[in-house]
Amino acid sequence: MAVSSFPVLSSLGARSNISVLDRDCSLFSLNIPLVNICSRLSTHPSSSTIVCSYKSENSVSERRKKLLEQYGLDPDEFLSEPSANRAREMRKSGKDKQISGQDPKFQRKTHKLLKVLGGSARRMKLISPIGLDVRPMMEVVKGAAFDILQAAGGCPASLRPGRWLDLYSGTGSVGIEAMSRGCSEVHFVEMDPWVVSDVLRPNLESTGFFDDSVIHTIPVENFIERAEQLIGNDRPFDYISVTPPYIQVDYGVVMEQLSKSALVGEDTFIVVEYPLKTDMLDSCGCLIQITKRRFGRTVLAIYGPKWAEKEKRKK
């Protein structure tokens, strides 16, 4: 399993329990102090989770190779010294400029087009990457999702207090919206180290929610499989959002994993954004589909307990 070695950041306490995955995927823990990871520390210490890979000289090149392949790059062009003939071919094709990192076209950039829609951080701007590799939830879809959740929870003005799990978090706009509207804690799961360091973390810091967040730099499927090891024996999450890049996920596999996971409880709400013509089940474990709405080529489905559907009808 390839897991990024980029450090996972949290400031839910002054000390952290660091879970380390070794090359055999076995898990062990260390208890060390966190230093200089945020601008301020919470006055209420609690545990946080840091996921990283075991580093050894023999495994570094293999890890790099897998990571490059994962992002659609040719490992031979990055990890090996090209021969004279290969170098000439690369110069003719222009690939040497891509590797050198001098071509500005290949530098990942951000812009401020997103914003928080409601709650304590309303109208605050969020940064997002320029390009299609990270696809934030459209604001009209996000607004509808939170309106439905608030009505279903019996409190149209805000969310019921609870914990939120933001899968495929990207910019963090969904989890940040949740904290702005009343959630006490959000766990963000995002596997791209650059997105975490240059997009997600700055958004959390600018909105003032970094202290109430835990970031897991790990693929979503691996996080769900090892949820009990990574977050301990905490109660199920009150809310879970599933908003992946459409072409990079098998919705059937992810939803089946969630339905069997301890992350989901009897009173959990699950928000799923998916493309039109995707087959989705009417239930997820013990939860039923309480609503489904279409926004152009995007569909929003929300799963929840049976009592929430009755509450939504009353409102």
Side-chain angles (χ1 to χ4, degrees):
M1 179 190 69
V3 181
S4 169
S5 60
F6 185 86
V8 179
L9 306 175
S10 170
S11 60
L12 289 177
R15 300 183 68 86
S16 287
N17 183 46
I18 301 182
S19 301
V20 182
L21 293 174
D22 65 12
R23 288 175 296 174
D24 297 322
C25 291
S26 59
L27 197 75
F28 60 95
S29 298
L30 298 173
N31 190 24
I32 65 172
L34 290 179
V35 180
N36 294 330
I37 62 170
C38 64
S39 58
R40 68 183 191 275
L41 292 175
S42 172
T43 57
H44 303 284
S46 59
S47 62
S48 59
T49 304
I50 297 179
V51 181
C52 59
S53 63
Y54 176 81
K55 294 182 179 180
S56 69
E57 294 181 358
N58 295 330
S59 63
V60 168
S61 60
E62 186 65 25
R63 282 177 46 255
R64 289 176 178 171
K65 180 178 179 181
K66 291 182 179 179
L67 189 59
L68 289 169
E69 290 175 344
Q70 184 178 344
Y71 284 92
L73 302 174
D74 184 358
D76 293 336
E77 295 182 359
F78 289 81
L79 301 181
S80 61
E81 291 293 334
S83 63
N85 292 335
R86 177 61 176 163
R88 282 194 294 271
E89 293 176 3
M90 291 169 63
R91 283 194 295 272
K92 290 180 180 179
S93 64
K95 290 185 178 181
D96 58 329
K97 295 181 180 179
Q98 298 179 24
I99 296 176
S100 66
Q102 299 299 320
D103 193 337
K105 291 189 299 182
F106 295 94
Q107 295 177 1
R108 302 178 76 175
K109 298 180 180 180
T110 61
H111 52 187
K112 281 193 174 184
L113 295 181
L114 302 177
K115 64 182 178 180
V116 182
L117 302 179
S120 62
R122 184 170 178 259
R123 295 181 180 175
M124 293 192 70
K125 293 286 187 178
L126 303 175
I127 62 175
S128 59
I130 298 175
L132 299 177
D133 53 338
V134 175
R135 188 195 53 79
M137 177 182 270
M138 293 187 298
E139 290 187 348
V140 63
V141 180
K142 183 171 66 172
F146 279 92
D147 288 344
I148 294 169
L149 288 175
Q150 290 172 188
C155 185
S158 62
L159 283 175
R160 290 185 305 129
R163 299 163 64 240
W164 189 292
L165 174 62
D166 189 358
L167 300 177
Y168 306 96
S169 56
T171 64
S173 67
V174 176
I176 289 172
E177 188 77 33
M179 284 188 283
S180 179
R181 294 181 184 236
C183 273
S184 57
E185 177 186 327
V186 175
H187 287 244
F188 296 89
V189 182
E190 171 57 51
M191 66 175 291
D192 188 331
W194 178 84
V195 171
V196 170
S197 63
D198 286 43
V199 180
L200 176 55
R201 173 171 175 162
N203 282 338
L204 291 171
E205 292 175 337
S206 66
T207 53
F209 294 132
F210 186 68
D211 288 351
D212 302 314
S213 307
V214 181
I215 301 175
H216 305 267
T217 308
I218 185 174
V220 166
E221 295 79 5
N222 295 350
F223 175 83
I224 298 175
E225 288 176 0
R226 296 171 174 81
E228 293 185 5
Q229 296 171 305
L230 298 175
I231 65 173
N233 296 320
D234 288 343
R235 66 186 187 280
F237 282 92
D238 301 283
Y239 305 93
I240 299 175
S241 53
V242 183
T243 57
Y246 292 157
I247 61 174
Q248 297 181 15
V249 64
D250 186 327
Y251 283 87
V253 171
V254 173
M255 296 306 292
E256 183 179 2
Q257 278 187 297
L258 279 177
S259 68
K260 300 176 181 178
S261 170
L263 299 169
V264 179
E266 295 180 355
D267 295 324
T268 299
F269 288 89
I270 302 179
V271 178
V272 186
E273 182 190 31
Y274 59 94
L276 194 64
K277 298 183 179 180
T278 300
D279 294 329
M280 295 292 288
L281 298 177
D282 294 331
S283 62
C284 180
C286 61
L287 307 177
I288 63 172
Q289 188 180 98
I290 61 176
T291 191
K292 181 170 70 173
R293 294 189 184 180
R294 177 180 172 182
F295 301 84
R297 293 178 293 176
T298 296
V299 181
L300 171 70
I302 296 181
Y303 299 84
K306 293 181 179 180
W307 60 261
E309 185 177 38
K310 297 178 182 178
E311 194 70 32
K312 182 172 71 72
R313 287 175 180 173
K314 290 180 184 178
K315 302 297 178 183

